[in-house]
């Protein structure tokens, strides 16, 4: 194997890996999009199998902007879910004295009983 055979192999391998990444992103986007019917999804997949390069280029030209928007939407939903999860683990963000004061106000107004106040006080102190 000569030096140029190795260089050619690297170039071809890079092109093939890039092409596979594009195909997987197209298929992922296609099945993530709820606005496309099942029949159209089947047509796109069949075309991707038999006319791979042309279909991939057409898909990227026709639906490329939508791919970006759907990807950004999925990313935003995941980020929002993560933030909500972190907030739920962090608690309400109020200090123990503030929580006890609020519980005392509820006790004084008659909204909770003395036992419930004691429970809330123990949770705030923990």
């Amino acid at each position: 194997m000569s030096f140029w055979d190795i260089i050619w192999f690297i170039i071809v391998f890079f092109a093939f890996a890039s092409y596979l990444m594009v195909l997987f992103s197209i298929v992922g986007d296609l099945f993530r999009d709820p606005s496309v019917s099942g029949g159209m999804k089947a047509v796109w997949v069949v075309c991707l199998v038999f006319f791979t390069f042309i279909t991939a280029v057409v898909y990227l030209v026709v639906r490329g902007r939508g791919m970006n928007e759907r990807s950004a939407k999925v990313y935003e939903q995941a980020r929002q879910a993560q933030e909500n999860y972190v907030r739920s683990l962090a608690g309400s963000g109020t200090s123990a004295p503030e929580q006890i004061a609020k519980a005392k106000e509820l006790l004084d107004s008659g909204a909770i009983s003395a036992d419930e106040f004691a429970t809330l006080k123990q949770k705030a102190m923990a």
Side-chain angles (χ1 to χ4, degrees), residues 16-115:
F16 181 70
S18 300
Y19 182 68
L20 285 179
M21 289 175 56
V22 168
L23 282 181
F24 284 127
S25 65
I26 288 173
V27 171
D29 177 68
L30 186 61
F31 286 102
R32 188 181 312 133
D33 188 6
S35 67
V36 178
S37 68
M40 280 307 296
K41 289 178 184 180
V43 169
W44 277 112
V45 170
V46 167
C47 288
L48 277 171
V49 169
F50 291 111
F51 310 108
T52 55
F53 186 72
I54 293 171
T55 304
V57 170
V58 168
Y59 189 89
L60 291 175
V61 168
V62 172
R63 299 179 49 89
R65 183 178 302 234
M67 280 179 75
N68 186 26
E69 292 168 357
R70 284 184 292 279
S71 178
K73 182 179 176 184
V74 168
Y75 171 75
E76 183 62 31
Q77 288 173 346
R79 189 184 64 77
Q80 188 65 35
Q82 181 183 11
E83 285 180 3
N84 291 340
Y85 177 70
V86 170
R87 282 192 191 109
S88 72
L89 291 180
S92 63
T94 58
S95 65
E98 291 173 344
Q99 291 177 2
I100 293 172
K102 287 181 184 178
K104 180 67 172 157
E105 289 175 11
L106 290 173
L107 176 66
D108 292 342
S109 70
I112 60 172
S113 67
D115 292 335

Side-chain angles (χ1 to χ4, degrees), residues 1-10:
M1 215 175 194
S2 73
F3 173 75
W4 294 111
D5 289 338
I6 294 171
I7 296 297
W8 182 247
F9 175 76
I10 291 172

